[in-house]
Amino acid sequence: MPNIQEPKLISGNANLPLANAIARRMSMHRGVHTGLVDARVERFNDGEIFVEVFENVRGEDMFIIQPTSNPANDNLMELLIMCDALRRSSAARITAVIPYFGYARQDRRSKARTPISAKLVANMLVGAGIERVLTMDLHAAQIQGFFDIPVDNLYASPIFALDIRTQFAGKLDDLMIVSPDVGGVARARDLAKRLSAPLSIVDKRREKAGEVAEMTVIGDVTDKTCVIVDDMVDTAGTLCKAAEVLIENGAKEVHSYISHGVMSGPAVERVTKSVMKSLVITDSIQPTDPIKAASNIRIVPTAPVFAQAILNIWNGTSVSSLFEADTLSPIYDGMYAAE
């Protein structure tokens, strides 16, 4: 097997700004210029995807940066075809860096005669030649078990903890972390523990799919600054309704920290008109112009943590060290003050 000398990055079209930001961060961390491998990812007139790599990648440690966000199928196929191109070009190892893992919501059979699409996607990635996956805040942690290859699942909560300590300096005593449903309690509890803040839950009851019939707040949120934490926001209907329920139950103000801003359909309009003071998302999915223009939506960068995680994978050091705020603070280069 050829010696692996340098980590090399290549990107599809799903989130080029993030890929370029990761490359810049890696250059800063190493003191050596790191750029994206020169390649083209194009489509024939009938929509077929074509990939051509213009640089020699034989024996190299390759990292494909490609979230499988909207359009999920196109971006997933780009990832698979890029992997095939690299494998046939004798790359030594191929790691898929998937900041947002599409199809993650289909992680179990919720009804009879339905697929487990997350497992299917895992099989496709492994079959294409992916040898390792790096992602962030999987919708369900057990998806790691769908793979027979190593999966490194980063967390946004340490970044959010740094951001909250900065944004709510002097107000941390009034903070209440809120899970928008019972399924997200573990994620919210982790952030609450990092901030030494109490935890509340919004329990929602559905009469049929897609419609929330009733919401109940578990915990006293009176005069509290509530921070809703979740892994993704899609149409934002449930999120905005949860914010309203918290205000009705006496909350002073409501903010939200969401890992992946899917923001489909009327999401931006709903958030803009909602009672939420702010919605904070990461750039794991490339934000649209309406998201950037929204007055109460803010974006925190993930490039620093992904760049360091890639370097740690490349040089064989710990990725789990990035779960701690003490490690992240210097990586974020003064953006947030150290504790």
Side-chain angles (χ1 to χ4, degrees):
M1 180 176 172
N3 291 327
I4 298 175
Q5 296 182 353
E6 295 292 324
K8 287 199 170 183
L9 309 180
I10 189 170
S11 176
N13 296 315
N15 198 340
L16 270 172
L18 176 58
N20 283 315
I22 291 173
R24 287 195 301 271
R25 276 287 170 172
M26 285 180 64
S27 300
M28 290 173 59
H29 292 173
R30 298 181 66 214
V32 177
H33 174 70
T34 302
L36 297 179
V37 167
D38 189 16
R40 63 171 174 152
V41 183
E42 298 178 347
R43 281 163 177 73
F44 293 120
N45 291 334
D46 64 351
E48 285 185 11
I49 296 167
F50 175 73
V51 173
E52 183 177 7
V53 181
F54 297 117
E55 296 181 24
N56 178 31
V57 297
R58 184 180 298 272
E60 299 291 358
D61 195 0
M62 299 300 303
F63 293 84
I64 308 174
I65 302 170
Q66 178 81 343
T68 51
S69 49
N70 183 38
N73 299 333
D74 287 358
N75 289 333
L76 176 60
M77 282 304 299
E78 279 190 12
L79 174 58
L80 296 172
I81 294 171
M82 280 190 292
C83 177
D84 189 73
L86 294 173
R87 182 171 59 87
R88 295 177 189 277
S89 302
S90 300
R93 182 175 66 173
I94 304 171
T95 300
V97 181
I98 311 175
Y100 170 72
F101 190 93
Y103 285 102
R105 283 175 281 186
Q106 300 181 49
D107 62 320
R108 64 192 184 282
R109 294 188 69 194
S110 55
K111 298 178 183 176
R113 297 174 296 281
T114 57
I116 305 179
S117 302
K119 172 59 175 170
L120 174 62
V121 170
N123 291 344
M124 293 167 68
L125 292 171
V126 174
I130 298 291
E131 296 172 61
R132 191 180 198 103
V133 172
L134 174 63
T135 186
M136 175 173 277
D137 271 348
L138 285 169
H139 183 65
Q142 65 265 23
I143 292 174
Q144 296 172 82
F146 293 173
F147 292 86
D148 291 324
I149 57 175
V151 177
D152 293 303
N153 183 32
L154 300 176
Y155 299 102
S157 59
I159 306 171
F160 290 162
L162 289 172
D163 190 88
I164 289 170
R165 287 189 185 280
T166 302
Q167 296 295 321
F168 298 92
K171 303 177 183 178
L172 292 175
D173 291 341
D174 294 330
L175 214 61
M176 172 76 80
I177 305 301
V178 180
S179 173
D181 52 44
V182 175
V185 169
R187 183 180 298 103
R189 186 187 294 120
D190 176 67
L191 183 58
K193 184 178 179 181
R194 292 176 187 275
L195 297 168
S196 300
L199 176 66
S200 180
I201 303 168
V202 177
D203 179 43
K204 60 186 177 188
R205 189 173 305 152
R206 298 181 188 271
E207 292 185 350
K208 53 185 175 180
E211 292 186 14
V212 178
E214 183 182 351
M215 282 188 168
T216 305
V217 177
I218 302 173
D220 185 9
V221 298
T222 306
D223 294 329
K224 292 288 187 180
T225 298
C226 291
V227 175
I228 301 174
V229 183
D230 208 355
D231 68 311
M232 69 173 70
V233 52
D234 191 351
T235 60
T238 302
L239 181 66
C240 292
K241 187 169 183 180
E244 291 175 8
V245 171
L246 289 168
I247 293 294
E248 290 170 2
N249 278 263
K252 186 162 47 179
E253 56 186 46
V254 178
H255 304 262
S256 295
Y257 279 75
I258 312 294
S259 303
H260 307 297
V262 179
M263 304 297 283
S264 56
V268 175
E269 183 181 359
R270 283 174 173 171
V271 170
T272 304
K273 295 179 178 178
S274 74
V275 297
M276 277 188 295
K277 292 284 186 180
S278 68
L279 167 64
V280 178
I281 58 176
T282 73
D283 58 356
S284 62
I285 299 173
Q286 185 173 348
T288 60
D289 289 337
I291 291 175
K292 294 177 183 177
S295 59
N296 61 343
I297 299 178
R298 190 161 53 86
I299 301 165
V300 296
T302 57
V305 68
F306 274 112
Q308 190 62 52
I310 289 171
L311 288 173
N312 288 8
I313 290 170
W314 167 64
N315 61 31
T317 54
S318 170
V319 174
S320 62
S321 63
L322 301 175
F323 300 166
E324 301 302 324
D326 288 343
T327 309
L328 280 183
S329 187
I331 290 172
Y332 270 76
D333 196 30
M335 183 179 298
Y336 304 115
E339 294 180 36

